[in-house]
Amino acid sequence: GKQHRECAKERKTERKKERKERVEMGGKGMGIDNIIMTAMEALRNGAAYGTKIRAPHAFVMLLIFSKRSIRDKLKSVIKLTAEHARKLGTYAFGYKLIQKGMEGVGVPKLAAVFAAGTATSSLVFGKDDAINSQLAMYVLSRVVFGCVRWLVSNGKIPPALVQIAPFRVISALLWGIVMVMFEWADTRQHLQSSMVASMHDIYDNPKRDWDVKSILPMLGFWLGDLVL
C-alpha cells in the first residue's frame, strides 16, 4: 500500500544519490562491485542509445536506396541495429570498467580517460567496417570542431586568424572540396558509400521524374513550413 510505495521511493532516491556520488568522486574509494555496477549501467545506456539512434536511420536509408525486398530490408535493419547497439554497449562497458579501475589505483582522471578510450576502442571499433567507419567519421568531425572552438575560446588561435577564416569560409571550403571529390572519379570511390549514394540521388539521378509523386511531398513540407 502507501508504506510500500514510500519505501520504493526512498530506495530509488538512495540509488540516485549513490550514482551521483560515484560520478563526483570518480573511481576513488569505489569497490570492485561499484565499478562493475557503473560499467553495467554504461553497457545498458550504450546499447539503448545505439538501438534508438540506429534503427530509424537504417530503416530510412534502406527504404530510400535499397532495391531489396521488404523482408530483406527488415532483416538488415535488425542486423545493423543489433550490431550498433552491441558495439556501443560493449565500448561503454569496457571504457567505464578500465577508467574507474585505473582511477581507483591512483591514475589521474584524464590519463585514465584517455587510456580507457584508446584501449577499448581499439578492441571494439578497430575493424574497418561500415558501422565503425561511420562512427569514426562522426567522432572525427566533432573532435575537429570541438578542438577549434576550444582553441578559439582559450585564445590559442589569434583573433585575427578567426576574423580571416570565419565559419562561412570553412563551410565553403568543405563543400567545395567534397563536391570535387564526388565529381572526380579518382576520389569518388574514397568517399563514404552512403554519402555517395545521397549525392548521386541529388545531383546525378536521371531517373527522377517531375511527377506528382515526387513533387507533392516536397510542396507539402514547404507549405507546412510557411504556415507554421
Side-chain angles (χ1 to χ4, degrees), residues 10 15 96 128 199 206 208 213 226:
E10 289 178 3
R15 285 196 296 269
K96 277 297 181 183
D128 186 5
M199 295 178 77
R208 183 74 72 193
K213 183 179 178 181
L226 289 173

Side-chain angles (χ1 to χ4, degrees), residues 32 40 99 152 157 171 188 216:
I32 186 65
M40 291 298 295
Q99 179 210 353
V152 171
I157 295 179
S171 180
R188 177 186 290 202
L216 193 60

Side-chain angles (χ1 to χ4, degrees), residues 61-73:
M61 294 300 289
L62 289 169
L63 186 66
I64 295 173
F65 297 115
S66 177
K67 304 298 183 182
R68 289 178 288 176
S69 66
I70 296 295
R71 180 188 175 120
D72 288 340
K73 288 179 181 179

Side-chain angles (χ1 to χ4, degrees), residues 118-135:
T118 53
T120 311
S121 63
S122 69
L123 296 173
V124 179
F125 302 130
K127 184 180 178 182
D128 186 5
D129 58 29
I131 290 180
N132 290 349
S133 296
Q134 290 170 359
L135 289 171

Side-chain angles (χ1 to χ4, degrees), residues 20-178:
K20 184 178 179 182
E21 289 175 351
R22 289 203 301 267
V23 171
E24 289 176 349
M25 68 187 299
K28 296 178 181 179
M30 291 180 66
I32 186 65
D33 55 337
N34 285 331
I35 291 175
I36 292 175
M37 179 59 67
T38 300
M40 291 298 295
E41 289 172 352
L43 187 153
R44 176 202 62 198
N45 295 341
Y49 184 81
T51 302
K52 179 176 66 175
I53 206 72
R54 186 71 194 194
H57 175 268
F59 180 78
V60 170
M61 294 300 289
L62 289 169
L63 186 66
I64 295 173
F65 297 115
S66 177
K67 304 298 183 182
R68 289 178 288 176
S69 66
I70 296 295
R71 180 188 175 120
D72 288 340
K73 288 179 181 179
L74 289 176
K75 286 172 66 176
S76 293
V77 169
I78 293 171
K79 182 179 179 181
L80 289 170
T81 302
E83 185 178 359
H84 198 133
R86 183 171 62 252
K87 286 185 174 183
L88 278 183
T90 303
Y91 173 79
F93 175 83
Y95 167 74
K96 277 297 181 183
L97 192 67
I98 295 173
Q99 179 210 353
K100 295 303 182 183
M102 292 181 71
E103 289 180 14
V105 295
V107 177
K109 181 174 182 177
L110 292 183
V113 165
F114 182 76
T118 53
T120 311
S121 63
S122 69
L123 296 173
V124 179
F125 302 130
K127 184 180 178 182
D128 186 5
D129 58 29
I131 290 180
N132 290 349
S133 296
Q134 290 170 359
L135 289 171
M137 287 184 288
Y138 177 88
V139 173
L140 176 62
S141 63
R142 270 62 180 179
V143 167
V144 171
F145 267 73
C147 286
V148 170
R149 287 170 175 165
W150 178 80
L151 291 170
V152 171
S153 66
N154 285 274
K156 306 296 183 181
I157 295 179
L161 184 60
V162 178
Q163 293 171 4
I164 293 172
F167 182 80
R168 186 182 301 276
V169 175
I170 297 173
S171 180
L173 288 173
L174 289 174
W175 278 96
I177 292 170
V178 78

